[in-house]
Amino acid sequence: MNYDLIIIGSGPGGYVAAIRAGQTGLKTLVIDEKYIGGMCLNWGCIPTKSILESARLLRRVTKAERFGIDGIEPEKLSFNWTKARTKMEQNVSKLTKGIEYLWKKNGVEFLRARAELLSPTSVKADKQILEARHIIIATGSKPAPVRFFKDSDLIEIEQFFISETLPIKPLIYGRGAYVAELAQFFSMIGHQPTVLLEASPILPQDNDWLNTALERILKKEKIPVFVQDQVQIEDGAIIQKDRKISFDKVINCSLRKATLPPLGFDLQTEGGYIKVDDHLQSSIPSIYAIGDVNGKSFLAHSASAQGLHAVNHIQGNNDSYDDSLLPMNIYTEPEIAMLGKTEEQLTREGIDFKSSEFGLNANGKAIIEGDVEGSVRLLYETKYNQVLGVQIIGHHATDMIAEAGILMQLEGTVFDLARTIHAHPTIPEVFMEAGILGANHS
Amino acid sequence: MRFMFKFPDIGEGLEEGKIIEWYVDKGQNISSGEPVVKMETDKVVTDIPSPKSGIVAARFGAVGETVHVGNVLIEIDIASISGNEAQAEARKEPKKTASETVAEKGFGVVGTIEVAGDGAYLPVSEEGTLPQEEKPGSLRKVLSTPVARAMAKELGLEINSIPGTGPAGRVTKKDVSSFHAKRAYLDETVSPTSAPESPQISIEKVPLSQIRKTIAKNMLRAKQNAAHMTVMDEVEVSELVKLRTMLKGKYQDKGISISYLPFVIKALTLALKEYPVLNAELDLEGGNIIYKHYYNLGIAVDTPEGLVVPVIRNADRKSIIELAQELASISEKAKQRKLNLEDLRDGTFSITSYGSIGGYYAVPVINYPQVAIFGIGKLTEKPVVKDGQIVVGHMLPISMSVDHRIVDGGEVARFLNTVLGYLQNPVSMLVQ
């Protein structure tokens, strides 16, 4: 036996699991054929947010005069993709180095190779056959390939971040939060994006509030949105009735499919994803599958939480994996964040609930910053007034959701939120206000 | 500074008492050791002395009220210290329970009583809030989520009794509902209404009396801590029967009833002096045997409420008549629940005379931490062989349990030979 644990894939699922495994004394090897950090660090979370930050700053700088800053001529401002990319690459490199450091510190080995599972306890990589007591598959996912565009028109996300130039009139094809983020990115830097949805609404979730919010954002940006089955696709253009919109490139953001490593034996799958139980164990107990590859969620923090869970289970913790409190962030402007149950879920589950919502437009800090769009919304059941869902739209929403996390993890009520003294002036004061509103109405 | 004097644990496992009489009033000076209140418990009536000197600032509870151990009895304004000294005193970490030696004035005895110590001191500023009334056994405060608390309250569950499965044992909503479900299930299955319809299967639940709880606790403690060993024997006591009959007639007119027990006590105390390990205590933690050079014999008395074991102090120094008088007095007090704490304390060896009710042999349970108990069976006339002849003998069966951890079999046998020798030939002990 060469290792206690071999992890295939070094994304946020795999690398976090590896660190934990090392810390808890497992002899661990991580194998990845390409990058350290997987999609999240190399062509997902981090690069997207990095270029979005550049675009947001551009937009913010145009408002500089209002803040009392002279000398900025908005018409001279332009977006430099090469420089934005350089900054992005620096961010990525800093973070991947951080991972390597943590692995080294915790005795985790890394092998850059394509891994193939030969048996439930053996992996072939780099012409060697390695044995391990446990294997974690954390190989992630990729957008499903699209066939109805010319190959030369298509840009896969993975390539997008290394392209030399940006399309001027990109067609963002697919579904999910990524579509909205990318479309808004192009809009903020002055390009003319068009969105073509695989299907409506934007998010493949039954969440009216969220989908309406996203539609509103795209509408405000004046980004045309179409749904695939209502348009005809021509060479370089999409046509809906008498409307024809041309594009120069198509960015593939279609819903993702699991990337499975080559397997020398049968492993149960469901809809293309590796089937796992409550402990994230596959049909073969020595093999765990975490992150996108098991289809539970496509969020980086979910993969990390699953990675920790799998290692804890290997180490004898028998708790079931619980992802009922998984925050979901969308980095549009304004940002969107949500946690817990939606109205649809509560209604479906027959839980009596109320909602309380408080806007940012009266919040001191939001007024100072000049971004007053949005609100904090609480969904709470009516018996104990426990907060079961939180939805936030607004600047800093993606950071503010953390407060909802701790509140809900500890099964807090609107009273607890109302009682929590918030510093002034801060945007999270709105959180407290929503709590007070709820407490008064309960 | 203020001192909150709480109803102390007076031992014997008693958890509550009734206020019979207050000896102090609000505003009155009180000295350490002076009695504060007369309390009646299931077992005893006793005076509770004050552990501190000062002025009584407040008094809690009226005559006739039941007070639980840990409840505040009086608040004492301790005048003797102030300023920095008081600050320092107030900052002292209160002990959970402290044993304080309190000189009981008027009794001339120094006894040790448990003083409820936690939270007993109020901050010097007197701005602090009074400590919450304590419920016995609820000192452990669990971590729990706000919803779990609200839910437990609504369901009438004590949150501290619910096992938590969250981080650090935090009680969550799930824990409360599963605890509730489990309890509801148990209630349902145990409740007589859902029991099978059979008139024979009916039960009645009667809450345990304090005295029964105490007996249960003490018996279990003895069985769990001592290595019981029992020796049984019988002795021919015709001489003793004659002697007792003679004395009985003589003292009847004086209102003194003489049973066999004073003779047994006499025989035992004489033998105990020869075999000191039977009048001892094992201090396993300290690695010592504690030999007691006083002979306080506990006498098990059957009362309607349950068993109590009052003590005859310095039994070795008392005559047969004195012992008979004292026996009469304590058994009367026991039956009327008039025993006080003094009457129950400091036994070194116990006697149970189950035979007066019935039964030849028994396996008595040691009155822990004592190491031996002597049981007297039913005196009967039996055919015995004496000088090759079958004659009528007066046979007294006895059973003696010892803690085999410190008393060996040989020692018990030798001890019994001595005791039974005295009983067989009572004159020999009376001349000692």
Side-chain angles (χ1 to χ4, degrees), chain B residues 332-392:
Chain B
E332 190 54 33
K333 270 164 104 177
K335 276 164 190 153
Q336 298 192 3
R337 282 180 42 206
K338 289 278 169 62
L339 290 169
N340 63 42
L341 211 52
E342 278 306 291
D343 295 326
L344 296 172
R345 247 184 222 158
D346 305 330
T348 60
F349 184 99
S350 294
I351 303 171
T352 168
S353 41
Y354 54 86
S356 61
I357 301 167
Y360 292 114
Y361 298 103
V363 181
V365 178
I366 294 167
N367 193 0
Y368 192 84
Q370 296 168 20
V371 296
I373 183 165
F374 187 84
I376 306 165
K378 186 177 164 190
L379 178 64
T380 352
E381 288 181 31
K382 276 186 182 172
V384 291
V385 179
K386 213 172 192 176
D387 304 326
Q389 299 285 313
I390 295 176
V391 294
V392 175

Side-chain angles (χ1 to χ4, degrees), chain A residues 319 381 383-388 409-413 416, chain B residues 145-148 150-151 154-155 167 170-174:
Chain A
D319 291 346
E381 49 83 24
K383 195 166 185 189
Y384 306 109
N385 300 292
Q386 183 187 1
V387 177
L388 297 177
Q409 179 67 40
L410 294 175
E411 298 181 342
T413 64
D416 300 295
Chain B
T145 69
V147 166
M151 199 169 168
E154 193 199 56
L155 297 171
R170 186 184 302 278
V171 178
T172 64
K173 199 172 165 183
K174 199 179 80 191

Side-chain angles (χ1 to χ4, degrees), chain A residues 350-367:
Chain A
I351 297 170
D352 282 332
F353 71 98
K354 283 185 186 170
S355 69
S356 73
E357 187 168 357
F358 205 89
L360 260 63
N361 48 12
N363 176 275
K365 187 80 182 293
I367 291 170

Side-chain angles (χ1 to χ4, degrees), chain A residues 40 42 69 72 74 91 95 110 120 165 186 202 208 220 236 250 270 272 276-277 293 314 329 338 351 360 413:
Chain A
C40 167
N42 298 283
I69 297 156
I72 289 170
N91 295 344
L95 291 168
F110 177 65
T165 54
F186 280 105
I202 303 176
D208 212 27
K220 209 178 161 196
V250 178
E270 209 167 35
V276 290
D277 64 9
V293 80
I314 288 170
N329 281 354
M338 58 168 286
I351 297 170
L360 260 63
T413 64

Side-chain angles (χ1 to χ4, degrees), chain A residues 126-424:
Chain A
D126 200 17
K127 290 170 198 156
Q128 330 171 37
I129 292 172
L130 303 160
E131 294 280 328
R133 278 198 301 130
H134 301 282
I135 295 168
I136 294 181
I137 300 175
T139 42
S141 65
K142 273 193 169 126
V146 258
R147 314 219 179 281
F148 33 81
F149 296 106
K150 275 201 304 193
D151 276 359
S152 56
D153 283 349
L154 268 172
I155 304 177
E156 293 295 332
I157 290 287
E158 201 172 346
Q159 275 94 53
F160 170 74
F161 291 101
I162 47 172
S163 11
E164 294 294 327
T165 54
L166 287 178
I168 303 299
K169 299 175 77 174
L171 180 70
I172 320 285
Y173 173 79
R175 222 177 159 195
Y178 216 42
V179 169
E181 290 174 0
L182 213 52
Q184 201 183 25
F185 163 74
F186 280 105
S187 173
M188 285 193 285
I189 63 170
H191 294 203
Q192 293 105 48
T194 301
V195 168
L196 179 62
L197 297 176
E198 277 179 84
S200 182
I202 303 176
L203 296 181
Q205 280 130 348
D206 182 17
N207 187 342
D208 212 27
W209 178 87
L210 202 53
N211 277 306
T212 313
L214 279 176
E215 278 165 25
R216 223 173 25 233
I217 288 168
L218 294 179
K219 201 168 176 184
K220 209 178 161 196
E221 295 284 347
K222 300 192 172 68
I223 299 169
V225 179
F226 297 96
V227 184
Q228 194 192 324
D229 61 5
Q230 292 164 9
V231 297
Q232 283 177 299
I233 298 165
E234 272 189 7
D235 205 12
I238 52 170
I239 300 161
Q240 186 177 32
K241 289 177 189 161
D242 46 359
R243 221 173 142 198
K244 180 174 177 175
I245 291 181
S246 58
F247 57 83
D248 49 5
K249 286 284 179 195
V250 178
I251 301 176
N252 180 16
C253 297
S254 58
L255 290 179
R256 301 206 290 261
K257 291 271 173 280
T259 320
L260 299 183
L263 294 164
F265 51 92
D266 273 347
L267 198 59
Q268 239 178 306
T269 57
E270 209 167 35
Y273 299 101
I274 297 175
K275 197 178 168 192
V276 290
D277 64 9
D278 284 351
H279 303 301
L280 309 169
Q281 266 171 312
S282 70
S283 52
I284 294 170
S286 63
I287 300 175
Y288 292 77
I290 61 166
D292 296 3
V293 80
N294 67 25
K296 278 182 175 290
S297 158
F298 294 92
L299 298 169
H301 43 275
S302 167
S304 299
Q306 292 179 33
L308 293 178
H309 186 91
V311 173
N312 290 345
H313 189 253
I314 288 170
Q315 294 287 30
N317 184 321
N318 213 28
D319 291 346
S320 293
Y321 175 68
D322 176 14
D323 61 357
S324 55
L325 287 179
L326 195 63
M328 180 172 154
N329 281 354
I330 302 176
Y331 293 79
T332 46
E333 191 163 284
E335 292 181 337
I336 296 172
M338 58 168 286
L339 178 61
K341 295 193 192 294
T342 61
E343 275 181 273
E344 288 83 354
Q345 274 173 298
L346 291 169
T347 310
R348 230 180 0 249
E349 291 171 20
I351 297 170
D352 282 332
F353 71 98
K354 283 185 186 170
S355 69
S356 73
E357 187 168 357
F358 205 89
L360 260 63
N361 48 12
N363 176 275
K365 187 80 182 293
I367 291 170
I368 292 166
E369 291 184 355
D371 294 299
V372 294
E373 202 181 329
S375 63
V376 170
R377 190 160 176 264
L378 307 176
L379 303 176
Y380 56 96
E381 49 83 24
T382 51
K383 195 166 185 189
Y384 306 109
N385 300 292
Q386 183 187 1
V387 177
L388 297 177
V390 171
Q391 298 158 356
I392 311 172
I393 301 180
H395 208 45
H396 306 297
T398 60
D399 295 316
M400 267 159 64
I401 199 70
E403 181 170 1
I406 193 76
L407 176 74
M408 290 163 75
Q409 179 67 40
L410 294 175
E411 298 181 342
T413 64
V414 289
F415 305 114
D416 300 295
L417 193 49
R419 256 202 297 254
T420 306
I421 300 172
H422 285 61
H424 177 75

